[in-house]
Amino acid sequence: MNRLGYPDLTLERREFLQVLYDELPDKSKILTGKRVQHVVDNEDEAYVELKDGSVERGDIIVGGDGVHSTVREVMWNAANKAIPDFISKKEKETMVTTYNCLLGITPMRPGLGTNDMTLVCNNGYTIQCLTQPNSIYWMIHHKLPEPVRYPDRVRYSEKDAEQVAAKYMDHPVSESMIFSDLWHNRTRGHLISLEEGVLEHFFFGRTVLIGDAAHKVTPNSAMGGTSAMEDSIVLANAIHAITQAHPDRKPSKQEVTEALQQYQDERKPRLDKIHGEAAMVTRLMAYDKWYLYLVMRWLLPLIGLAPLIHAVSKTGSEGPRLKYTKVDEVRGTMPWMDPQPERDVKTAAA
């Protein structure tokens, strides 16, 4: 907490989304159960045709529909129709799955501390537990025999999850707990692919991608969902700037293009860095190479985790901020790279 000023909190994504939804002043704009059929953008507007026959119109289409994004596929098709080979075969194969992840939630049990992270590292896999007072959030990152490259994908069933879990039943997760204690008492548990990659193009025309639709990292460094939120901040800043530049009219398509280009140019270098760091942490914990085994098994126990924690914290401190609104910013011992004016700052308690 002292490094960046804010406490750490582990919770399910759906709980986080519920908090955001509950705070929305106008919930009528949230439409659920909708699926994209077609995306159209032209000189004056963009609109989405949905599978139920309805149409939603606007100025920009933001595709935040995950690693297997429908909006991205439609955008790619439109881009290559307008400019042949604009999106190359190589870019379409950016997402590669080298690891999968068995993850779940178990009510709090004796054997793990509260508000702790526990790691068990071994050859080809990592068991990671994050605890809150009432819950244990656990993950097993497991290296696949061979990488799977997009558009190929692996779909896992409940039976697949059971088979993977069976391999780790007697593996320790702490000095007094084994994995079977977590698995047999779980409230939820399933097996997923861990795609990795950062696209070259985040937008075309009036369509722009955020989150896993544009970039995907392994979860070990906890920068997946965070990166999607950063995308939203940078994109919102760019949109706000062009709307304020000419408040008496809608931005032209050229102005929209310039704003989306600014978004891509700002995000791409940071996401490449985050992707590299997350990939390294995942492979370090799983002893992916002989030299990573030496680092994890012998060097880190000698020097401690402080350098790794510092590097992760520094990456967090370099994140963007929403520039057109004021929040009660808190600062810890590590300064934010893009701070608010001093009058809006609080200092974290020691």
Side-chain angles (χ1 to χ4, degrees), residues 27-309:
K27 297 178 175 58
S28 66
K29 298 184 183 298
I30 306 298
L31 307 178
T32 60
K34 303 289 186 178
R35 298 186 70 85
V36 175
Q37 181 76 31
H38 194 50
V39 174
V40 177
D41 70 70
N42 52 43
E43 195 65 30
D44 300 316
E45 67 169 356
Y47 62 89
V48 177
E49 298 174 354
L50 303 173
K51 287 191 175 181
D52 62 5
S54 59
V55 176
E56 296 294 331
R57 297 181 180 277
D59 299 297
I60 296 173
I61 294 170
V62 181
D65 51 339
V67 69
H68 303 292
S69 169
T70 298
V71 173
R72 182 182 64 214
E73 292 290 337
V74 174
M75 186 191 85
W76 281 351
N77 292 337
N80 283 344
K81 184 177 179 180
I83 307 173
D85 299 321
F86 182 79
I87 305 295
S88 67
K89 180 177 182 292
K90 181 180 178 181
E91 180 171 5
K92 290 183 177 182
E93 295 176 347
T94 294
M95 299 293 178
V96 179
T97 304
T98 306
Y99 288 79
N100 63 19
C101 181
L102 182 69
L103 72 164
I105 304 170
T106 300
M108 193 62 189
R109 299 175 61 79
L112 290 173
T114 302
N115 300 315
D116 283 345
M117 180 177 74
T118 303
L119 288 173
V120 177
C121 302
N122 212 316
N123 187 28
Y125 74 90
T126 307
I127 303 176
Q128 186 173 7
C129 296
L130 300 165
T131 60
Q132 291 292 298
N134 298 316
S135 300
I136 303 170
Y137 301 85
W138 48 264
M139 298 173 282
I140 299 180
H141 308 93
H142 176 85
K143 188 174 182 180
L144 301 177
E146 295 292 336
V148 178
R149 187 172 292 276
Y150 195 88
D152 294 337
R153 61 186 291 193
V154 182
R155 298 177 184 271
Y156 293 110
S157 65
E158 187 174 333
K159 182 179 179 181
D160 294 325
E162 293 279 359
Q163 290 175 343
V164 171
K167 298 178 182 179
Y168 299 99
M169 285 298 181
D170 60 350
H171 287 233
V173 296
S174 73
E175 293 182 356
S176 59
M177 181 184 292
I178 59 177
F179 177 67
S180 62
D181 296 327
L182 298 177
W183 182 256
H184 292 313
N185 293 283
R186 70 190 185 280
T187 56
R188 213 158 13 263
H190 54 282
L191 184 64
I192 62 172
S193 295
L194 297 181
E195 297 86 356
E196 299 174 83
V198 181
L199 300 181
E200 288 298 321
H201 297 94
F202 289 11
F203 79 97
F204 185 81
R206 291 178 176 270
T207 303
V208 60
L209 306 175
I210 65 171
D212 289 355
H215 49 81
K216 186 80 161 57
V217 299
T218 49
N220 302 61
S221 59
M223 289 298 292
T226 304
S227 295
M229 287 185 273
E230 289 187 2
D231 288 349
S232 301
I233 290 170
V234 175
L235 182 58
N237 285 339
I239 293 172
H240 182 263
I242 61 172
T243 57
Q244 292 303 299
H246 302 285
D248 57 332
R249 63 170 175 81
K250 291 173 60 173
S252 67
K253 187 169 185 178
Q254 179 60 34
E255 290 167 335
V256 168
T257 297
E258 291 172 358
L260 300 186
Q261 186 68 56
Q262 178 185 334
Y263 156 73
Q264 177 178 288
D265 291 346
E266 181 173 343
R267 292 301 291 151
K268 186 73 167 60
R270 176 163 170 79
L271 290 164
D272 285 336
K273 176 185 177 183
I274 288 172
H275 172 263
E277 290 178 351
M280 176 55 69
V281 170
T282 298
R283 286 151 180 80
L284 179 66
M285 291 178 176
Y287 305 165
D288 194 79
K289 304 291 183 183
W290 66 266
Y291 54 87
L292 296 178
Y293 168 80
L294 293 178
V295 171
M296 195 67 185
R297 189 71 177 83
W298 300 104
L299 182 58
L300 281 182
L302 289 176
I303 65 175
L305 292 175
L308 186 60
I309 295 171

Side-chain angles (χ1 to χ4, degrees), residues 5-26:
Y6 295 91
D8 295 325
L9 178 64
T10 302
L11 74 164
E12 288 186 84
R13 185 166 297 188
R14 59 171 151 184
E15 292 181 11
F16 176 66
L17 291 175
Q18 186 66 54
V19 171
L20 295 181
Y21 178 78
D22 290 343
E23 293 298 318
L24 284 175
D26 181 6

